[in-house]
Amino acid sequence: MKLRKLGSIFLISALVLTGCQSSNSGKGEAAKESEKELNVVSATVSATQVLDKLDANLLGIPTTKQELPEKYKGLPEVGQAMNPDLEIVASLEPDVFVMDNMFKENVEESMKEYDINTFYFDTSTYSAFLNSIKELGKETNKEEQAVKVIDELKDVEKEAVAKKGDKEPTVAIIFGGGENFMLATETSYLGDLAKTVGAKNIATDLDTKVESPYIQFSLEQILKQNPDYILRFAHGNIEETKKSFDDAFDKNPAYKELDAVKNNKVVDLDPSIFNVSANLQVKDAITTLGEIFYGK
């Protein structure tokens, strides 16, 4: 009887031990899977810059005239952001394909033909950009690296507003292409940046819903709001638009009534730093806005 009891005890112990080993083995396999180095293809310059910081294994890059990280030069090009060549993308067999969310509708129909795990990178505002970095880190098993990139950007924010104090400068951000001018709202990239560094956008008082990134405006509305600063951003044909800005301000005496004009606080934003969508040059953009509003 004693031998039988001992045998039963040993059998139960062995089963428990085997079960624990199986369970631990399963956890180990799951851990290995989560740490796996994933192959990535990018069709957007902004995401490629971020993937460089995440130290991701890139198999393909966007076709662009913009400067890409040196280590990615020579990789297969997969076409421009708005219309990537999905056949090339599929042939590279990526674990993750990264596209700009702005062009999602362009490819949605074509994507049905391909079984590609696609991550849509949102650069429409600074806030969306930060969230996309976080989510891209999760998607590519580079969460720690993503947190580091975000923390660096947050540090730049803190430095930019270090001299802010109780100031809340008011600002009008005039966005222009040729002779067509609009106001950038808080839902635009530039508007979100101004908000990030503590400025109050007068467009919010003109359109309380603020659903559109850009809204039409009249000079009378600008005069009534009388912002402390006017930021001008030329898009498209930059030289032509800059000339249109200057002509409008010089030829219309009403502009001279604005405090921003009187106090020499009309600033043309540098297109090599600022853009209509986010990229890692946002560090320079935030620093520059901080210096404009609060001094160097």
Side-chain angles (χ1 to χ4, degrees):
M1 287 292 289
K2 287 183 179 179
L3 285 173
R4 285 183 183 175
K5 285 183 180 179
L6 285 172
S8 298
I9 291 169
F10 285 135
L11 180 59
I12 292 168
S13 299
L15 289 171
V16 170
L17 184 59
T18 302
C20 290
Q21 287 175 338
S22 298
S23 175
N24 289 335
S25 175
K27 289 178 182 177
E29 289 301 319
K32 285 178 184 177
E33 185 66 27
S34 67
E35 293 170 5
K36 177 186 172 185
E37 184 72 31
L38 300 180
N39 293 323
V40 185
V41 168
S42 174
T44 156
V45 172
S46 294
T48 304
Q49 293 174 344
V50 172
L51 289 162
D52 175 38
K53 297 295 183 184
L54 301 187
D55 197 28
N57 186 39
L58 227 62
L59 301 180
I61 56 176
T63 302
T64 179
K65 292 180 180 178
Q66 295 184 54
E67 196 69 26
L68 294 176
E70 186 69 29
K71 68 182 180 183
Y72 295 145
K73 287 185 178 177
L75 288 178
E77 295 183 3
V78 299
Q80 295 181 332
M82 65 182 70
N83 188 29
D85 189 322
L86 297 179
E87 282 192 20
I88 296 177
V89 174
S91 71
L92 295 172
E93 299 183 348
D95 297 302
V96 184
F97 172 47
V98 185
M99 262 205 70
D100 193 317
N101 188 62
M102 189 184 303
F103 305 115
K104 184 177 180 179
E105 290 184 6
N106 294 25
V107 298
E108 269 190 313
E109 199 62 36
S110 301
M111 287 292 276
K112 293 175 182 177
E113 300 175 28
Y114 302 89
D115 184 22
I116 304 174
N117 177 31
T118 305
F119 179 88
Y120 292 98
F121 196 76
D122 193 345
T123 60
S124 59
T125 65
Y126 174 57
S127 303
F129 182 60
L130 287 178
N131 187 61
S132 277
I133 293 172
K134 178 183 175 182
E135 295 304 318
L136 184 58
K138 292 179 182 177
E139 190 73 21
T140 58
N141 291 344
K142 299 286 184 179
E143 288 185 74
E144 285 185 20
Q145 293 89 332
V147 168
K148 185 178 178 182
V149 172
I150 293 169
D151 286 346
E152 286 176 3
L153 290 172
K154 290 293 183 182
D155 286 342
V156 172
E157 286 181 40
K158 290 175 185 175
E159 288 178 23
V161 299
K163 297 179 182 178
K164 179 181 182 297
D166 295 329
K167 297 176 186 175
E168 188 184 30
T170 55
V171 61
I173 306 170
I174 302 179
F175 175 84
E179 296 181 358
N180 181 31
F181 302 159
M182 301 183 79
L183 277 184
T185 72
E186 288 184 356
T187 62
S188 70
Y189 171 58
L190 294 174
D192 193 29
L193 280 184
K195 181 181 178 181
T196 297
V197 297
K200 182 181 178 183
N201 192 332
I202 68 162
T204 304
D205 292 328
L206 302 184
D207 183 356
T208 52
K209 294 180 181 179
V210 193
E211 293 177 356
S212 176
Y214 306 98
I215 59 172
Q216 299 289 346
F217 70 96
S218 66
L219 179 54
E220 288 73 20
Q221 289 174 313
I222 299 285
L223 288 166
K224 184 178 179 181
Q225 295 292 327
N226 196 20
D228 300 316
Y229 293 85
I230 295 176
L231 304 181
R232 307 190 307 191
F233 183 70
H235 187 59
N237 189 325
I238 293 171
E239 292 307 316
E240 181 186 325
T241 304
K242 280 185 177 180
K243 186 177 184 305
S244 296
F245 280 148
D246 291 337
D247 286 346
F249 275 67
D250 292 342
K251 292 178 180 178
N252 193 331
Y255 275 107
K256 293 180 174 60
E257 299 301 313
L258 293 166
D259 286 344
V261 175
K262 292 177 183 177
N263 299 324
N264 198 29
K265 291 183 178 178
V266 178
V267 181
D268 288 318
L269 298 177
D270 184 349
S272 70
I273 295 174
F274 294 89
N275 208 322
V276 294
S277 58
N279 55 44
L280 281 182
Q281 284 175 304
V282 70
K283 290 182 180 180
D284 293 332
I286 290 171
T287 299
T288 300
L289 287 179
E291 291 174 352
I292 290 171
F293 295 138
Y294 314 120
K296 295 183 180 181

